[in-house]
Amino acid sequence: RRGEAIDFLKQLGAATVDLIYTDPPFGTQAKQRLTRKKGGEVVSDVSYDDVQDDYMSFITPHLVEMHRCLKSTGTLYLHLDHRWVHYVKVELDRLFGRANFVNEIIWSYDYGGRGKRCWPKKHDSVLVYSKSSSYKFNWDAIERIPYMSPGLQKDPERAAAGKVPTDVWWMSIVGTSSRERNGYPNQKPCKLIERAILASSDADDLVIDPFAGSGTTGDAAQRLGRRFMMNDLSPWAQETMKSRFKSIPDIKWI
C-alpha cells in the first residue's frame, strides 16, 4: 500500500497483527539519498526527506496505533539509531508497560567513515516490546551462529551446532556490490529481519511494516512462510517493492 503510515495503521483492526518489524525515519533532519551508477552512468537516484520539526510528536501516534493493532501474543521490533532511541523507549515503556520491554538489540555493522571527534557510531538499536507476557519466542527456531572459541566447548556436537545470538547482532550492511542491493537508501539486510521473524512469529502469522521502504520486512516474511502487509508513502518505495515481489502470485497493490 502507498500512503501515510498512520493511516495504514488506523485501518488495521485491533489485535490483528502478530509481529511488527519497522524501520521508521530516524529524525536525521537531512535528505537520505542513494545514487547508483553503472559504467559511469546514473542508473537510479532515490531520495526521501527525513526531517521532522518535532520527532516525538511525529512518532508517538504511530506507536499508539502499533500497540493497538498487535495481538496479545504480538511483538514489536522498532529499529532506530542513537538520535531518538532513548526518548522513544520512555514512550514505549508508558504505552506497553516496562514489564513488557523484552530487549534492546544492538545491530553492529562497523562500516563507513570514521570521524575523529568521537567514537565512530557503528550500530543501530532495535527496541523489542511484547503486548503481554504471553508473547512468542521460538528458541529452537532461532538460527545458530559459530562460537567464538569452539575449542572451549566440551561437547563437539554442541560446538558444531553453534550458539543462539545474544542481544548484540554483528552483521554486515547491504554492500554497494551486494546482489541484495536494490537501490533504496538505508536498505537493511534481509537476514537481520529474518532472525527477528523466526524468533517472534509462527508460520502463516501476519507481519507488517508501516514504513516499508524497499520492502525488506515483506521479503523476509514471505521467505519464512508468513503473511505480510507493507506500506510506504514514497512512490520510489512502491516501485522498488513491485520489482522485488513481482514473482509472488496474487499480491495486492493499493
Side-chain angles (χ1 to χ4, degrees), residues 52-81:
Q52 289 84 30
D53 293 334
D54 183 340
Y55 187 80
M56 291 307 299
S57 293
F58 157 73
I59 199 66
T60 298
H62 296 85
L63 304 179
V64 171
E65 291 301 320
M66 290 180 205
H67 179 268
R68 181 191 63 81
C69 72
L70 276 173
K71 293 181 180 178
S72 62
T73 55
T75 305
L76 167 67
Y77 284 73
L78 188 69
H79 190 137
L80 298 166
D81 73 0

Side-chain angles (χ1 to χ4, degrees), residues 177-195:
S177 60
S178 171
R179 293 180 62 184
E180 189 177 340
R181 195 73 166 174
N182 57 32
Y184 202 83
N186 301 314
Q187 180 188 354
K188 302 304 183 292
C190 197
K191 186 177 179 181
L192 179 80
I193 302 175
E194 284 180 352
R195 184 176 288 178

